Amino acid sequence: MSTMVIGYDVEDRTGSDITRRFLSKASELHAELQAPATLFLVGITAENNVEAIQRAKEEAPFELGSHNYSHILLKTLCQVKGDGIVEIAQGGSLGQLVAEVDKANTVLEREFGVKCRAFCSPWGYYRGISDRPDLLHLLHVAGIRVMRTWMRNAQDWIPVDYDVQPFFYEPQGFPDMLEVPVTVRHDCNWPVHYGFEPQEYANPQEFLDYLRSELDYLHERDWLYNAAQHDTTTIEYDPDMVIMRGLIEHARRIGMEVMNFTQYYDKMRASKQ
Ligand SMILES: [Zn+2]
């Protein structure tokens, strides 16, 4: 059965009420549809919203994962934009990253009693962290077993080819660590590539029709749909969450299973044995 996994990056660090508004809407939707999802929390954001996260976790079938403590990148990006201009986004040093990952996990355990197993890297990278066994080791020691880090192509840009499908980091020596790449458009790319500027689609409902066609395409091939959305972008572009509701309902209509990251990990592990 093909699968849709849902992961929200919860990362507003401005001190505004964006995260709380998002959590309230997302809980309502996921509770109503009984649809599992993973909240990948930036540690700082989690510390600023402890009660709202606790409530969301009680109301809806959410699991909590890590999006690093202060959103430091695991790898440096050299993004080649459409006009050929290269932009650099700096990754953290190994020492910084050890501290980041541990600090984020400590927040999850201290505030919510969660031993973190799921990780979403800030920004995402070409080939995930296939080329960085040192980072795999760092995350493995921290207890991470399922991650989404492959979210960019060879230009360090989006999209990733649809046939880049989940895999275990076996050749790197970590056969119990699963990569879950994102191949579909993330919400932060909606406005740039397909969304509301330059007005290719007039509203979330129209854009949803495009996303449904992606869902159909992946389902026909028994490939994964990895839905990646953010607290910030959701509130900015689709505060009523028309798109996520439509995706979940459509996925179920065509016979896809909806899961969070740990559930998907367990399913993949079981099918491996
Ligand atoms: Zn992020």
Side-chain angles (χ1 to χ4, degrees):
M1 188 187 252
S2 62
T3 307
M4 173 161 99
V5 290
I6 303 173
Y8 295 103
D9 295 0
V10 180
E11 62 180 46
D12 177 56
R13 301 183 292 290
T14 64
S16 78
D17 64 352
I18 284 175
T19 297
R20 289 185 288 283
R21 283 164 60 201
F22 163 75
L23 288 169
S24 155
K25 190 68 209 175
S27 308
E28 196 183 303
L29 176 71
H30 282 263
E32 181 197 327
L33 301 180
Q34 277 305 297
T38 304
L39 302 177
F40 290 111
L41 304 168
V42 163
I44 293 172
T45 311
E47 287 176 332
N48 289 339
N49 295 281
V50 170
E51 274 175 37
I53 292 165
Q54 193 61 50
R55 203 173 328 122
K57 196 167 159 280
E58 282 160 18
E59 286 172 3
F62 288 141
E63 75 158 343
L64 305 185
S66 167
H67 194 38
N68 254 351
Y69 182 73
S70 60
H71 208 260
I72 288 185
L73 278 70
L74 300 186
K75 282 167 56 169
T76 297
L77 297 176
C78 307
Q79 293 184 288
V80 185
K81 301 279 177 77
D83 48 13
I85 293 173
V86 175
E87 276 181 26
I88 299 291
Q90 184 72 42
S93 69
L94 204 56
Q96 266 178 322
L97 291 169
V98 170
E100 269 284 303
V101 169
D102 283 352
K103 221 168 155 187
N105 281 4
T106 302
V107 172
L108 287 173
E109 185 149 20
R110 186 187 65 219
E111 302 295 347
F112 311 106
V114 168
K115 271 225 168 294
C116 182
R117 294 173 72 205
F119 180 85
C120 175
S121 63
W123 290 53
Y125 322 101
Y126 174 50
R127 304 195 294 186
I129 50 174
S130 302
D131 54 348
R132 292 291 303 273
D134 55 337
L135 295 177
L136 284 163
H137 175 72
L138 187 165
L139 292 171
H140 194 271
V141 168
I144 303 301
R145 294 295 179 270
V146 56
M147 68 192 87
R148 70 174 177 202
T149 69
W150 189 333
M151 294 186 255
R152 291 176 187 266
N153 56 31
Q155 284 72 46
D156 274 348
W157 200 230
I158 285 161
V160 173
D161 290 341
Y162 288 123
D163 62 358
V164 176
Q165 287 295 302
F167 60 89
F168 286 95
Y169 281 107
E170 201 141 5
Q172 290 81 1
F174 299 90
D176 60 349
M177 295 182 89
L178 180 69
E179 171 65 41
V180 189
V182 179
T183 59
V184 295
R185 303 283 173 172
H186 317 192
D187 58 351
C188 43
N189 306 115
W190 294 348
V192 180
H193 292 284
Y194 285 99
F196 320 119
E197 300 156 8
Q199 307 296 321
E200 191 170 351
Y201 301 99
N203 54 53
Q205 190 64 46
E206 273 187 23
F207 183 53
L208 177 59
D209 289 338
Y210 164 78
L211 294 174
R212 283 200 195 108
S213 70
E214 271 191 318
L215 206 53
D216 289 335
Y217 180 88
L218 294 168
H219 173 60
E220 281 161 21
R221 286 155 184 79
D222 198 17
W223 285 346
L224 183 81
Y225 189 104
N226 188 347
Q229 296 196 6
H230 296 69
D231 54 350
T232 45
T233 330
T234 299
I235 293 302
E236 191 174 354
Y237 295 113
D238 184 18
D240 295 327
M241 299 190 73
V242 169
I243 289 175
M244 186 55 85
R245 173 185 289 278
L247 284 175
I248 295 168
E249 288 175 346
H250 188 67
R252 285 178 167 163
R253 198 176 309 126
I254 60 178
M256 291 175 94
E257 231 172 331
V258 177
M259 290 184 172
N260 67 33
F261 276 69
T262 301
Q263 289 169 331
Y264 184 65
Y265 176 77
D266 292 340
K267 176 185 160 174
M268 292 293 279
R269 286 277 283 177
S271 67
K272 206 178 166 215
Q273 280 150 11

